[in-house]
Amino acid sequence: MIVKIKLSLCLLLVIFGTCIYARKWKLLEDEQEKILNLTEKLQLQNKKDEIQFNTHAWNNLKKQNPDFWAWIYWQGGIVSQPIVIDAGGKEYLYQNFDGQPSMCGTPMIFETKSKNKIIYGHHVGYGAENVVFTKLSELTDKKLFYEYQTFYLCMQDKVEKYRVFLITVKNKELDWNYQQKDFTSADKFYEWIADAKKVALIYDTDLKPKFNDDFVTIQTCLDAYSSKRVILLAVKTREYTMENDSF
């Protein structure tokens, strides 16, 4: 009798766990569908190594959410997400682009005028490969790192092109302030870069960052359950303006 009760309890736990997993999977699918719909509206296209998009659709997204700052599009489409400005309360940590509760959240930035702009986004489990920044943790693999170094920030009237030259994993022992936004002198900047090299898992020595360059740092989780963070540092390599839509 006791054995039957234990088996029944185990079966109930399995069923309960499966239901929870299925519900989370459905929520992720819904979130992915929303982002895909936004991506389709933007009509992102790669023309002669330039990302073009529908500026009218961009402006509509800005009207839909005044916090909208830029659309990040990664080489190969491994990331395609809106980035919002968070006032500092981390509202978008678990809030989607429409302002609704979301386990995926929305990639966010706190400061948009600094030399080193820092963007935060979730790594989401449950097999959702392209949700938020989930795919970026795979770039700790050297082959994938060099295959997917380029991303674009699509803004209201321009596009900024970036190239990642460093990736590392943050833990308690990481001796580098990757959240440094500005620098009081060129010497301080080059000291920061030297410290970055020391902790890098991969560092592209072909890129020579300069004090006058602009940078983006991206932070995401190593996986859905780890307290470790993947840090990617990129330098702006190009900027071009958007003309009238040719769509």
Side-chain angles (χ1 to χ4, degrees):
M1 186 63 159
I2 295 176
V3 173
K4 288 183 178 180
I5 293 173
K6 287 182 177 179
L7 288 173
S8 298
L9 288 173
C10 289
L11 182 60
L12 286 172
L13 287 172
V14 170
I15 293 172
F16 179 75
T18 302
C19 291
I20 294 292
Y21 185 88
R23 181 175 180 275
K24 288 183 177 179
W25 184 278
K26 181 63 170 63
L27 289 172
L28 286 174
E29 283 187 334
D30 292 344
E31 292 295 331
Q32 283 182 298
E33 187 65 28
K34 290 177 183 178
I35 295 299
L36 285 173
N37 289 337
L38 295 179
T39 303
E40 289 176 2
K41 289 179 181 178
L42 279 177
Q43 301 176 39
L44 291 158
Q45 298 179 18
N46 193 333
K47 296 182 177 180
K48 297 180 180 179
D49 205 30
E50 285 190 357
I51 293 296
Q52 302 288 331
F53 61 92
N54 188 313
T55 55
H56 297 302
W58 197 103
N59 290 331
N60 286 336
L61 289 179
K62 184 67 173 177
K63 292 176 183 177
Q64 181 180 337
N65 184 343
D67 292 333
F68 179 45
W69 175 66
W71 191 279
I72 184 170
Y73 179 82
W74 212 283
Q75 177 184 2
I78 62 171
V79 169
S80 183
Q81 294 279 327
I83 300 172
V84 294
I85 299 174
D86 192 293
K90 299 182 180 179
E91 289 89 354
Y92 286 99
L93 193 62
Y94 294 105
Q95 181 174 295
N96 66 18
F97 189 76
D98 296 323
Q100 301 300 316
S102 166
M103 62 189 297
C104 298
T106 307
M108 57 189 177
I109 186 170
F110 299 119
E111 173 58 59
T112 62
K113 304 297 184 183
S114 56
K115 175 178 285 292
N116 179 32
K117 301 173 183 65
I118 305 169
I119 300 171
Y120 304 86
H122 281 302
H123 181 297
V124 183
Y126 312 105
E129 290 186 348
N130 292 318
V131 173
V132 203
F133 289 166
T134 300
K135 294 287 284 186
L136 297 185
S137 63
E138 296 180 11
L139 302 190
T140 52
D141 177 273
K142 193 170 185 177
K143 181 181 177 181
L144 293 176
F145 175 86
Y146 283 106
E147 187 175 348
Y148 297 105
Q149 279 184 274
T150 302
F151 67 86
Y152 303 82
L153 292 180
C154 304
M155 301 179 179
Q156 191 164 23
D157 57 355
K158 66 179 180 179
V159 176
E160 295 181 350
K161 183 178 181 180
Y162 287 83
R163 190 170 178 85
V164 178
F165 64 93
L166 174 151
I167 189 168
T168 190
V169 175
K170 174 187 177 295
N171 52 34
K172 293 180 180 179
E173 289 74 38
L174 183 66
D175 189 20
W176 174 52
N177 181 17
Y178 66 92
Q179 293 180 321
Q180 182 82 32
K181 296 183 179 69
D182 289 294
F183 307 90
T184 55
S185 67
D187 287 343
K188 291 293 184 183
F189 168 74
Y190 289 114
E191 287 177 11
W192 184 73
I193 290 294
D195 289 340
K197 286 182 180 180
K198 293 175 184 176
V199 300
L201 289 177
I202 307 171
Y203 190 96
D204 185 352
T205 55
D206 289 338
L207 288 172
K208 310 293 183 185
K210 300 178 178 61
F211 177 60
N212 292 328
D213 290 334
D214 290 315
F215 300 87
V216 162
T217 295
I218 293 178
Q219 174 186 299
T220 189
C221 295
L222 182 62
D223 56 51
Y225 312 100
S226 175
S227 61
K228 294 181 179 180
R229 303 288 183 262
V230 175
I231 311 299
L232 303 99
L233 179 59
V235 61
K236 185 166 74 174
T237 58
R238 190 182 173 202
E239 179 180 313
Y240 53 93
T241 57
M242 286 293 298
E243 299 179 356
N244 292 332
D245 292 324
S246 57
F247 294 88

